[in-house]
Amino acid sequence: QVQVIESGGGLVQAGGSLRLSCEASGRTFGSYTMGWFRQSPGKEREFVAAISRNGDTGYADSVKGRFTISRDNPKSMVYLQMNSLKPEDTAVYYCARTRITYFSQSRYTRPTLYDLWGQGTQVTVSS
């Protein structure tokens, strides 16, 4: 069964760093765009970052310059390096897969276009 599993969340002080990992099963991992989303209580799930099969990346304005998404196709892994964390970054972070074939902001930011989601990992940033 194809699935994605996130890890690496935790509690960190403001200004600190965390690295999230996402392991995706399936032989065709390298063919898909992968994304990170987050959701905090009472809010809708929001886009954080995405990476195409070729390594092109896109970020939400709120994390640009602080977060970096990367992937290792042979290992079927996606990473989210989060630096200079702020309390407003506190959320459950989800890794997801999309079948979009054209890497455009209007597509990779839309959670409805992602068809496979992980269970999420909690990130808490204390002030």
Side-chain angles (χ1 to χ4, degrees):
Q1 184 177 359
V2 179
Q3 58 183 352
V4 294
I5 302 174
E6 306 95 336
S7 62
L11 174 64
V12 64
Q13 289 188 332
S17 298
L18 280 176
R19 188 194 195 204
L20 304 184
S21 298
C22 170
E23 182 177 5
S25 62
R27 296 182 179 180
T28 59
F29 168 80
S31 300
Y32 298 105
T33 287
M34 300 295 294
W36 286 96
F37 290 77
R38 65 187 182 187
Q39 188 168 20
S40 51
K43 295 186 177 180
E44 294 186 354
R45 191 167 297 189
E46 66 172 351
F47 168 76
V48 175
I51 186 166
S52 75
R53 56 186 178 180
N54 298 322
D56 298 319
T57 59
Y59 297 92
D61 288 343
S62 60
V63 307
K64 202 171 293 183
R66 300 188 297 123
F67 291 11
T68 303
I69 188 171
S70 61
R71 68 190 296 163
D72 185 336
N73 285 341
K75 294 183 179 180
S76 297
M77 296 291 293
V78 180
Y79 305 99
L80 185 68
Q81 178 66 44
M82 305 185 296
N83 299 329
S84 302
L85 283 162
K86 305 175 181 179
E88 50 264 43
D89 294 318
T90 295
V92 177
Y93 284 71
Y94 298 91
C95 177
R97 182 194 76 181
T98 177
R99 297 176 183 268
I100 61 172
T101 56
Y102 183 66
F103 191 74
S104 69
Q105 187 179 31
S106 64
R107 290 179 171 84
Y108 62 67
T109 58
R110 293 169 57 185
T112 55
L113 294 184
Y114 288 73
D115 64 348
L116 183 65
W117 294 81
Q119 296 290 332
T121 185
Q122 176 71 46
V123 172
T124 302
V125 184
S126 62
S127 57

